[in-house]
Amino acid sequence: MLDHPKESAFETFSGNRGLDQEEPPIFEIGRPETSGVDIDEPAHLEPRLGALERKGPIGLPGLCEPEAMRHYVRLSRKNYSIDAGLYPLGSCTMKHNPRLNEKVARFAGFADLHPLQPQSTAQGALALMEELSRWLLTLTGMSAIALSPKAGAHGELCGLMAIEAALEARSEAATRKVVLIPQSAHGTNPASAALLGFQPRVIEAGADGVVSEEAVAKALGPDVAAIMLTNPNTCGLFERNIVAIARRVHEAGGYFYCDGANFNAIAGVARPGDMGVDAMHLNLHKTFSTPHGGGGPGSGPVVFSERLAPFAPVPFLLREGETLRLVEHGDGAQSFGRLTAFHGQFGTFVRALAYILSHGADGLAQTSRDAVLSANYLRVALRDVMTQPFGDRLCMHEVLFDDSFLEGTGVATLDFAKAMIDEGYHPMTIYFPLVVHGAMLIEPTESESKRSLDLFVTTMHDLIASAKRGETRRFTEAPRYAPRRRLDETAAARKPVLRWSAG
Amino acid sequence: MRYLPLTDVDRKDMRDAIGVADFAALYADVPSELLLDRPLDLPRAKSEMEVERLLSAMAKRNLSAASAPFFIGAGAYRHHIPASVDHLIQRSEFLTSYTPYQPEISQGTLQYLFEFQTQVAMLTGMEIANASMYDGSTACAEAALMAHRITKRRKAILSGGLHPHYTDVLRTISHFAGDEIVALAPDVQAREDIASAIDDSVSCVIVQTPDVFGNLRDLTLIADACHRHGALLVAVFTEAVSLGLLKSPGEMGADIVVGEGQSLGNPLSFGGPYLGLLATRQSYLRQTPGRLIGETVDADGRRGYVATLSAREQHIRRDKATSNICTNSNLCALAFSIHLSLLGEAGLRRLARANHASAIDLVDRLAAVAGVETLNESFFNEFTLRVPGDAARLVEAMAERGVLAGVPVSRLLPQAGLDDLLIVASTEVDTAEDREAFVAAMKGAL
């Protein structure tokens, strides 16, 4: 169905631009009576639905198979993806997603397996969970694991719940209500703490971008339940005072939660367990390469120290000789309870384990080193044209710049990012971490070749020189070569249209 | 290592450019006592073929649903997934993209989520839906928290027909969030009196239909009772296909509808990743957790889509956010949406009728099994049986006869003393022979 172009801005009658084809919503191309699935009408059906049968129409459009293929293929081509190019989103770890992971997750014995079928018929799946647990515990140097959290932020809840359960067991849950959180933390950290009734207390980082032992000591008191520290932190720096910080927190009776979103910098190189961590979530969709699918699913297993292990949620695995048993109920133990139906993101466990086995312990360490190497390579290649908020020093797997190099050019950070789109790159993370004004956080990951990194550097140099020459339209009018120009986000928020309607 | 593009020569060149002699120097910020100086007790790298062989061996130790007559439901359902669904979600541009932070190059993701939101709103009979949650159980917990924010009350009443895992998740979150829940006793035949439990201190009543025992519930009277007391009705479903045949929760007066969307487009996958659905009234928009996609225009006036209203979310509001949820089940939502687009209204209705017909056929065949009683007056594709003796032992015995028979209630509610109850589901994938095999295996095992 062709709509006549309404605006003279369209160069073509159809609105298409060659291979860049417009695609209306399914509601404008489908019809309720069309179906792309052949299902026979059952013979002689006398419903036993009480009086609850639906009477009126739903309005759902249907597409036959060729229409559906074309609709979704056309939509897919309006997306950037890691398979298409460099995706240097800091703190998001957009690394290569091996297709072997997808293949094995689709084995019938994994994909076509019900979470509640008898455990005797799912021993292979339980063995897979045990093997993944062994790897994650060894890599982190921790004592126990909860596989069930569905995402990183769900893992934060899990870790904090175990901490509160431990405090309850010590009869200190009512008095210890404060969680120390550095200003640079992911926004989910304070949100998770607040959701569970904790009061976040902000800790400032020093001029060197990391939290000092003194700053923590000053904030500690008998009201502190825990500290939530991201390490490496969101400024791309290793919290080098971590051991002393952990000791201080422990001495004050608190627990140490580590946000493990950036574990990919140190996996196989150093262990959180040696740093005094009590609980930490792992983002399987970051460190262990499971694809993020445009925003999910994630998977956020949590590892625990010996002190918190007894409070871990159900379900958990028990080995009884040759047999594995999934403990699905508290059974009167100290487990704090259940976080989600069933056993977690099993399909993601399969993918993560395939990745882990492909690398082995040696390969995982190399992966971390390459991620750190690539980030520092970019840092050195860009440090003369961009500005670093904490001075010129080694970074971990991501490198943080700020926008002061754009001062006086008339180009804002957002404009700069949009111009990167025209050059064929997904922009880096901008305006995060909040602690740095005009932050630009670049994470190349280990998946990029040196040639790819060099091309990126050359492009960045060209963009920066262009901004300094005053070629502002290249930025303020960007993107020009994208499926859409700048979108009016203010209008979208002011008068939200969240569903399609006719007319 | 096949996934790492850097060669040793590259690495040396890059180290030289940085000015570090070796990898230890690169990690100079990590206190040296923390750096591992010995190999971990873990195996070395494996080739693609080796990994595939190893995982294949693990997979073969499981009895997959397709390899036996299969009747297990209780919150996760086996349906046929059209081949094109899995093909499309594996396209690189969908599979390997991230959260749509840059809308100009994420229009594919944003448009299908906008379509998904519309489909979910239509299906549930509600005004708006979000762009998905982790799964049905966590969506249910978020609905309770949302009701607390809207009503400024902190007590939720849970129907005894709610999936016990969902009840457990609510118990956990309520305990730590300092909220109160009243979980009614397990209610096998949907006879509980919820209305009289509602008073002016209640924030929401949470009722599942079809409930975990398969019963269909008319929510109209419960909705009225809720609204008289200023409470919200949260309607829950775990079988999205049922909505093709049943009156929608919206039509029955629900204020928030949450459910599990795994049934459409998503494999069983031993429990996840699944797809949480959440729909509600337009007026509760700003208290809605999770991601929302809205329509807008670009600088050329062309229709486009953006993630919107993020001022409610953790990356702006931080400790005052409506929820800590930062990810959704995007790819699962895509699978759901593609499957539903392929079905269309006519196909969904036929699929729902095929499910219902299959379950009716099984119930009727079970009438011939002495000592087995069907407890439901109404049902969709799932129902509860009372069997002589222990249902868990019966399931094991039937598994030995090659039939996966259902979920013993004791697996979900070990302390409830309902050891003789078995929850059985039948969907469009079951054949008449499968159903006959079920009956024969049951007769043989009893």
Side-chain angles (χ1 to χ4, degrees):
Chain A
M1 196 164 83
L2 293 178
D3 279 334
H4 284 278
K6 296 183 201 83
E7 303 284 326
S8 56
F10 290 128
E11 301 95 333
T12 57
F13 169 76
S14 58
N16 297 337
R17 293 169 178 177
L19 292 182
D20 176 10
Q21 291 154 317
E22 289 300 299
E23 184 61 15
I26 46 174
F27 308 96
E28 293 168 18
I29 50 177
R31 286 157 299 184
E33 64 275 17
T34 300
S35 189
V37 186
D38 295 328
I39 302 163
D40 288 335
E41 180 64 30
H44 330 294
L45 179 66
E46 280 181 45
R48 298 182 199 173
L49 301 169
L52 294 170
E53 193 164 357
R54 189 190 276 273
K55 298 289 190 291
I58 310 172
L60 289 167
L63 307 172
C64 70
E65 193 172 302
E67 289 174 315
M69 291 302 288
R70 196 167 285 169
H71 177 71
Y72 290 102
V73 167
R74 286 181 172 191
L75 286 190
S76 75
R77 295 168 58 160
K78 299 180 191 306
N79 265 8
Y80 196 91
S81 68
I82 183 64
D83 283 356
L86 179 61
Y87 216 126
L89 268 176
S91 263
C92 299
T93 313
M94 289 299 286
K95 60 167 69 177
H96 173 57
N97 302 146
R99 288 311 190 282
L100 169 65
N101 303 357
E102 296 304 308
K103 182 176 183 182
V104 294
R106 285 170 172 80
F107 284 160
F110 295 141
D112 202 12
L113 197 66
H114 194 288
L116 295 175
Q117 67 186 67
Q119 293 191 12
S120 58
T121 65
Q123 287 292 308
L126 299 182
L128 185 141
M129 289 163 72
E130 186 188 45
E131 179 67 4
L132 178 66
S133 300
R134 179 172 79 106
W135 276 91
L136 298 180
L137 288 172
T138 309
L139 286 169
T140 56
M142 303 288 279
S143 297
I145 188 165
L147 287 175
S148 68
K150 293 267 175 180
H154 205 216
E156 292 171 20
L157 287 184
C158 174
L160 289 173
M161 284 171 174
I163 287 170
E164 188 161 353
L167 290 171
E168 279 169 10
R170 285 162 45 183
S171 304
E172 290 185 70
T175 50
R176 292 186 179 267
K177 297 310 291 181
V178 170
V179 174
L180 308 181
I181 305 178
Q183 214 168 14
S184 62
H186 297 113
T188 49
N189 288 184
S192 299
L195 199 149
L196 300 181
F198 289 113
Q199 295 134 26
R201 182 181 290 165
V202 173
I203 325 178
E204 307 279 347
D208 58 354
V210 297
V211 176
S212 71
E213 182 186 350
E214 293 70 34
V216 172
K218 225 162 67 190
L220 281 170
D223 57 346
V224 170
I227 188 170
M228 288 182 98
L229 198 63
T230 307
N231 197 25
N233 70 22
T234 58
C235 300
L237 303 172
F238 192 85
E239 293 285 354
R240 56 186 167 216
N241 309 311
I242 190 161
V243 174
I245 289 171
R247 192 180 55 237
R248 289 280 196 155
V249 171
H250 289 155
E251 281 167 3
Y255 293 91
F256 181 3
Y257 185 89
C258 184
D259 182 321
N262 298 331
F263 185 57
N264 62 311
I266 56 169
V269 174
R271 301 185 307 172
D274 298 334
M275 303 173 198
V277 168
D278 291 303
M280 179 176 95
H281 72 263
L282 294 159
N283 296 90
L284 298 187
H285 54 283
K286 294 184 181 182
T287 305
F288 300 102
S289 87
T290 68
H292 207 50
S299 181
V302 175
V303 288
F304 295 105
S305 65
E306 217 166 292
R307 308 197 301 155
L308 289 183
F311 306 99
V314 290
F316 52 82
L317 276 171
L318 269 189
R319 176 166 278 287
E320 294 166 339
E322 290 296 292
T323 308
L324 282 164
R325 184 162 72 87
L326 199 58
V327 179
E328 296 175 287
H329 300 276
D331 296 344
Q334 287 175 288
S335 163
F336 73 70
R338 175 176 281 279
L339 277 165
T340 175
F342 312 123
H343 329 312
Q345 310 285 53
F346 179 79
T348 305
F349 305 160
V350 182
R351 290 171 174 86
L353 185 62
Y355 175 85
I356 284 171
L357 294 173
S358 295
H359 282 82
D362 46 334
L364 288 172
Q366 187 61 52
T367 294
S368 301
R369 292 187 197 120
D370 282 1
V372 174
L373 182 68
S374 296
N376 279 287
Y377 184 67
L378 290 185
R379 177 180 60 80
V380 166
L382 294 170
R383 66 183 167 192
D384 294 337
V385 289
M386 296 176 79
T387 37
Q388 299 175 77
F390 303 110
D392 185 36
R393 49 178 292 198
L394 283 168
C395 61
M396 298 302 282
H397 63 294
E398 54 193 349
V399 53
L400 179 63
F401 296 101
D402 63 32
D403 64 358
S404 43
F405 72 94
L406 287 173
E407 255 168 44
T409 61
V411 174
T413 303
L414 183 71
D415 299 330
F416 191 87
K418 299 300 182 191
M420 289 173 71
I421 293 176
D422 282 337
E423 299 297 329
Y425 289 106
H426 194 286
M428 71 288 263
T429 295
I430 51 171
Y431 303 121
F432 180 83
L434 304 173
V435 57
V436 168
H437 179 79
M440 296 180 165
L441 187 60
I442 302 177
E443 181 178 10
T445 81
E446 74 281 3
S447 309
E448 297 303 323
S449 66
K450 182 166 176 295
R451 179 176 171 275
S452 159
L453 296 173
D454 287 337
L455 270 174
F456 179 73
V457 166
T458 313
T459 309
M460 292 294 278
H461 276 272
D462 183 71
L463 280 168
I464 293 163
S466 172
K468 299 217 156 154
R469 280 197 303 270
E471 296 165 9
T472 45
R473 284 182 58 198
R474 179 174 176 188
F475 300 90
T476 54
E477 292 183 10
R480 287 164 295 182
Y481 307 115
R484 284 292 178 271
R485 305 286 303 278
R486 266 315 157 110
L487 289 143
D488 191 344
E489 305 202 29
T490 313
R494 195 165 290 155
K495 206 167 166 250
V497 177
L498 303 179
R499 63 180 284 184
W500 183 89
S501 58
Chain B
M1 170 34 65
R2 62 188 176 276
Y3 301 145
L4 299 178
L6 298 181
T7 64
D8 282 341
V9 174
D10 293 334
R11 290 179 181 121
K12 174 156 192 324
D13 288 349
M14 290 164 73
R15 282 201 304 270
D16 288 348
I18 298 164
V20 292
D22 52 22
F23 278 110
L26 206 51
Y27 281 94
D29 268 356
V30 181
S32 55
E33 73 270 21
L34 293 177
L35 289 172
L36 289 167
D37 55 359
R38 61 195 149 69
L40 293 168
D41 181 22
L42 291 165
R44 294 178 62 82
K46 290 184 170 50
S47 71
E48 176 155 350
M49 186 173 74
E50 288 169 323
V51 174
E52 211 177 308
R53 190 181 290 149
L54 215 145
L55 288 171
S56 173
M58 277 187 189
K60 283 186 181 134
R61 291 178 57 204
N62 302 316
L63 185 62
S64 77
S67 57
F70 182 89
F71 299 90
I72 306 176
Y77 300 87
R78 181 159 180 261
H79 294 287
H80 177 255
I81 301 172
S84 50
V85 174
D86 194 44
H87 173 83
L88 285 167
I89 69 165
Q90 285 195 77
R91 280 188 66 91
S92 286
E93 305 90 329
F94 290 142
L95 186 75
T96 77
S97 57
Y98 199 71
T99 304
Y101 290 142
Q102 300 288 343
E104 297 86 359
I105 45 171
S106 307
Q107 285 298 301
T109 294
L110 290 160
Q111 182 172 332
Y112 77 64
L113 285 177
F114 183 79
E115 295 174 359
F116 167 83
Q117 287 178 174
T118 308
Q119 287 172 314
V120 173
M122 285 177 165
L123 205 54
T124 54
M126 301 303 286
E127 288 165 344
I128 56 164
N130 75 5
S132 82
M133 314 284 285
Y134 303 141
D135 72 349
S137 66
T138 52
C140 185
E142 288 287 338
L145 297 173
M146 181 178 158
H148 295 174
R149 288 194 296 275
I150 292 167
T151 62
K152 312 263 193 299
R153 303 173 185 175
R154 313 195 64 145
K155 178 169 147 188
I157 296 180
L158 277 48
S159 158
L162 184 62
H163 193 294
H165 281 179
Y166 288 42
T167 303
D168 290 345
V169 173
L170 275 154
R171 262 201 195 104
T172 304
I173 197 103
S174 305
H175 171 75
F176 290 108
D179 294 334
E180 188 188 347
I181 63 162
V182 178
L184 302 179
D187 177 31
V188 183
Q189 289 186 290
R191 289 179 182 160
E192 69 196 352
D193 177 16
I194 298 183
S196 71
I198 308 172
D199 59 34
D200 289 354
S201 70
V202 172
S203 65
C204 65
V205 173
I206 305 182
V207 188
Q208 181 178 326
T209 179
D211 71 13
V212 71
F213 302 105
N215 307 292
L216 307 186
R217 318 273 303 233
D218 188 344
L219 302 177
T220 318
L221 292 176
I222 305 171
D224 290 345
C226 283
H227 298 154
R228 268 200 308 280
H229 290 282
L232 304 185
L233 174 63
V234 177
V236 181
F237 59 89
T238 62
E239 172 52 292
V241 174
S242 71
L243 294 169
L245 196 53
L246 294 171
K247 209 179 267 186
S248 73
E251 266 181 278
M252 297 191 280
D255 301 288
I256 305 172
V257 182
V258 288
E260 176 53 65
Q262 170 269 328
S263 276
L264 290 171
N266 289 283
L268 289 168
S269 196
F270 204 49
Y274 284 179
L275 169 66
L277 307 179
L278 188 148
T280 187
R281 301 177 186 280
Q282 177 87 29
S283 51
Y284 301 146
L285 177 58
R286 278 163 214 279
Q287 294 302 334
T288 304
R291 196 163 289 155
L292 294 164
I293 308 305
E295 186 185 305
T296 187
V297 291
D298 79 350
D300 290 339
R302 291 190 293 178
R303 176 163 57 176
Y305 306 91
V306 292
T308 191
L309 296 171
S310 49
R312 309 157 298 118
E313 288 185 76
Q314 39 77 24
H315 58 270
I316 294 180
R317 294 268 289 168
R318 297 173 75 88
D319 56 314
K320 305 208 167 40
T322 50
S323 155
N324 78 327
I325 284 179
C326 130
T327 189
N328 62 331
S329 291
N330 218 68
L331 202 68
C332 303
L334 175 61
F336 177 98
S337 191
I338 298 173
H339 193 179
L340 194 51
S341 304
L342 279 167
L343 285 165
E345 180 150 350
L348 178 66
R349 195 172 164 75
R350 279 197 294 276
L351 175 63
R353 286 167 67 82
N355 271 258
H356 190 42
S358 184
I360 287 175
D361 179 63
L362 183 58
V363 163
D364 288 349
R365 287 172 198 259
L366 283 164
V369 184
V372 172
E373 187 188 351
T374 315
L375 299 182
N376 303 60
E377 283 171 20
S378 62
F379 56 90
F380 171 63
N381 65 0
E382 187 161 27
F383 50 84
T384 300
L385 299 178
R386 175 165 283 137
V387 298
D390 186 79
R393 262 203 294 275
L394 176 65
V395 166
E396 290 285 350
M398 287 176 71
E400 277 164 31
R401 290 164 192 266
V403 173
L404 291 170
V407 179
V409 171
S410 61
R411 171 123 184 221
L412 300 170
L413 291 162
Q415 315 297 335
L418 300 171
D419 298 352
D420 57 349
L421 299 185
L422 180 64
I423 302 171
V424 177
S426 182
T427 72
E428 81 285 356
V429 293
D430 302 323
T431 62
E433 291 74 36
D434 291 336
R435 295 189 286 272
E436 197 46 51
F438 180 99
V439 173
M442 183 167 265
K443 278 181 181 160
L446 279 173

